[in-house]
Amino acid sequence: MRTPHALLATAVTAAALAAAAVTPAPAAGADAVPPPGTYYVQSVVTGLNAADASGTVEQHRPRGNEGRQQWTLRPDGAGHLLENTDSPGSCLGRAGDRARTVSCTAAEARWQITPLGADRYALADPGADRRLTVAPKPAGATHPAPLSVGSGAGDLAAWYLTPADAPGGPMPPRGQRTLDQVTFLTAHNAYANGVDGGFAPPFVDLFPNQSRGIQQQLADGVRGFMLDVHQTPDGAILCHNSCTLVRRPVALWVDLQRIVDFLRARPDEFVTVFLEDYVDPGVLRAELDRVQGLSEVLFRPDRTGVRENGWPTTDELAADGHRLLIFTDHSREADRSAGLTRDTFGVMYQREWTVENHWSMGPGVGSSDWSCYSRWYDANTTIPLTRTEPGFRPLFVMNHFRDAAVASTAATDNAKLADRARRFCQPAARKKPTYLAVDRYDLGNPAAAVDALNTYTYP
């Protein structure tokens, strides 16, 4: 079910976003409880937020300052209270082995908060060996929503206290910014534009995701390209859902050649391609072999120590000449069974290098769902938006589009992109979006949101 959100009376401007983001919050020491303020209580395992659900405390999809998910942290004697911002006097507490909201004056509302390192905390019942805990994951299902209070250990009992107004810092000079500090305008279904060629069967092609060809998108500042690639007797072809009945479809190598030619002419630019990938690895490799100059610009984070040392700066990428990053949503496991993994020829597995929120805000018209949660959280996969590793922060792909591209809806949604990025998705991921992916980037000025995010760092 799609849950409508309360719309603001006016959209947040780029200037307001930048001003709010660069106002630093008091820094907490590595071994200290965070200072008083408004926080999300966020599971380390799932990335979901503790929310008041009619008295029961459950983990819910992050919804910014909606959904009763914000808690005001303040000291109380030797412990701390977490008061719900939507219900003054009601605090996150305990009732037996269940997490409940209780009166802030009750003893069951007090928590002993203990730092666990890496910005993680345990919330314990003072004087008892009981902690706020996510229930274990049953076979074939996700972690249960209700939170418990018990003897849980490890990451199930570990929590982030994420500031509602996240701290930010000044952006380094251009060229000294690491890749994960920069935000790029990204075109969802960039090939589905009706200019370069066909992309869908009749009638479906009446709703293009973009209105300008790839070369014009590059000229307009688009630096991320989401492409759906299907296997046909002609190779790897760009189509939406299926290439059946598609007139004049474009081959993947053609659009990649356009991008490579652009990069060779603009040595200071960086481009990322995201493949929704339905082809065999051998077919994809043969398609890439047709792109002249690809090997000269292809960036290989797996061979340059990124996971150990973090992302390079844009100056370092320009100096090396490696300025095209290609991701696939295909799984490494499936490729292993096929006998050829895509990273052997330079295509990175996206789940290993990025996090990404769910791909849709709802139907093409009507209300939208602004909740920001991982695309890869289901019965078989748990990759929270909050995922980080020592020395390495995944790139964050923020999707901001609907099931169908309706121009008037896209214009309205794109005008609110900065607001959703700041209030919903940035705290949900505990990182700034690297890619803002939209339909009809020519409407609603999403480039203003990109510019605003490029004025600060997080954290």
Side-chain angles (χ1 to χ4, degrees):
M1 178 180 292
R2 313 282 186 187
T3 304
H5 62 83
L7 297 178
L8 295 183
T10 58
V12 172
T13 65
L17 170 61
V22 299
T23 303
D31 296 316
V33 175
T38 303
Y39 293 86
Y40 300 102
V41 180
Q42 199 168 13
S43 168
V44 166
V45 171
T46 67
L48 305 182
N49 288 342
D52 174 14
S54 301
T56 298
V57 178
E58 300 180 343
Q59 54 169 350
H60 286 182
R61 296 168 176 173
R63 289 181 52 81
N65 59 345
E66 303 172 5
R68 307 176 68 83
Q69 299 181 4
Q70 290 187 345
W71 306 87
T72 300
L73 174 71
R74 66 174 188 268
D76 181 65
H80 285 80
L81 299 177
L82 286 159
E83 183 177 13
N84 191 273
T85 59
D86 293 298
S87 299
S90 179
C91 280
L92 193 159
R94 306 169 296 280
D97 62 356
R98 295 293 181 183
R100 301 277 303 179
T101 51
V102 299
S103 170
C104 293
T105 61
E108 291 80 11
R110 186 177 299 148
W111 296 93
Q112 179 181 342
I113 300 179
T114 305
L116 301 175
D119 210 20
R120 306 174 182 200
Y121 300 89
L123 279 65
D125 180 354
D129 186 24
R130 304 193 317 142
R131 290 167 289 281
L132 183 67
T133 304
V134 173
K137 181 177 177 295
T142 59
H143 291 273
L147 300 177
S148 60
V149 180
S151 57
D155 285 348
L156 289 176
W159 300 88
Y160 295 116
L161 296 176
T162 301
D165 290 320
M171 196 70 158
R174 192 176 300 274
Q176 297 179 28
R177 304 168 181 179
T178 57
L179 193 60
D180 57 319
Q181 291 176 327
V182 183
T183 300
F184 299 96
L185 180 61
T186 299
H188 171 237
N189 287 353
Y191 66 95
N193 54 62
V195 176
D196 294 329
F199 61 90
F203 303 110
V204 178
D205 61 3
L206 296 177
F207 298 93
N209 297 91
Q210 308 300 336
S211 64
R212 299 172 182 175
I214 294 295
Q215 288 176 314
Q216 187 60 51
Q217 292 178 36
L218 287 162
D220 290 343
V222 174
R223 294 296 179 265
F225 296 83
M226 294 181 167
L227 308 176
D228 296 2
V229 56
H230 292 262
Q231 186 167 320
T232 78
D234 296 320
I237 308 299
L238 299 172
C239 303
H240 193 246
N241 294 330
S242 169
C243 291
T244 303
L245 301 180
V246 178
R247 295 169 293 182
R248 301 184 301 107
V250 177
L252 172 62
W253 78 266
V254 173
D255 275 353
L256 290 181
Q257 190 67 65
R258 290 175 171 135
I259 292 170
V260 169
D261 291 346
F262 171 84
L263 290 172
R264 294 170 78 177
R266 298 284 298 275
D268 58 337
E269 297 290 352
F270 186 88
V271 170
T272 305
V273 170
F274 300 89
L275 298 180
E276 186 173 316
D277 193 345
Y278 301 100
V279 305
D280 294 335
V283 173
L284 181 59
R285 181 174 61 181
E287 193 78 7
L288 299 188
D289 285 344
R290 301 183 66 180
V291 182
Q292 297 180 12
L294 176 61
S295 61
E296 300 170 13
V297 298
L298 192 60
F299 174 45
R300 298 288 303 267
D302 58 330
R303 295 183 176 178
T304 52
V306 168
R307 195 169 293 280
E308 297 76 23
N309 305 311
W311 296 97
T313 66
T314 53
D315 269 359
E316 290 169 337
L317 290 164
D320 292 338
H322 301 145
R323 293 168 291 111
L324 175 59
L325 180 55
I326 303 178
F327 288 117
T328 176
D329 68 349
H330 214 79
S331 74
R332 178 183 292 276
E333 292 73 19
D335 283 351
R336 279 176 176 156
S337 64
L340 177 64
T341 59
R342 289 163 213 251
D343 56 354
T344 59
F345 50 89
V347 176
M348 301 293 103
Y349 293 100
Q350 190 181 340
R351 298 184 192 200
E352 299 177 3
W353 299 96
T354 76
V355 294
E356 180 177 350
N357 68 309
H358 179 63
W359 58 270
S360 174
M361 296 192 298
V365 294
S367 60
S368 61
D369 182 355
W370 273 20
S371 60
C372 210
Y373 61 100
S374 177
R375 177 180 184 177
W376 301 312
Y377 178 69
D378 54 36
N380 300 311
T381 310
T382 302
I383 303 177
L385 289 184
T386 54
R387 177 171 67 98
T388 57
E389 301 170 19
F392 170 71
R393 176 163 51 187
L395 305 179
F396 175 23
V397 182
M398 179 185 157
N399 294 313
H400 186 79
F401 48 83
R402 309 274 192 121
D403 295 347
V406 177
S408 59
T409 304
T412 300
D413 287 344
N414 290 350
K416 296 181 171 73
L417 176 59
D419 182 31
R420 186 179 181 221
R422 179 180 65 85
R423 284 199 299 132
F424 287 68
C425 291
Q426 183 171 269
R430 294 174 53 84
K431 56 182 72 69
K432 192 173 72 170
T434 317
Y435 303 95
L436 294 181
V438 298
D439 283 333
R440 293 300 305 269
Y441 75 88
D442 57 309
L443 302 176
N445 196 18
V450 174
D451 290 343
L453 266 67
N454 279 326
T455 62
Y456 68 93
T457 60
Y458 181 101

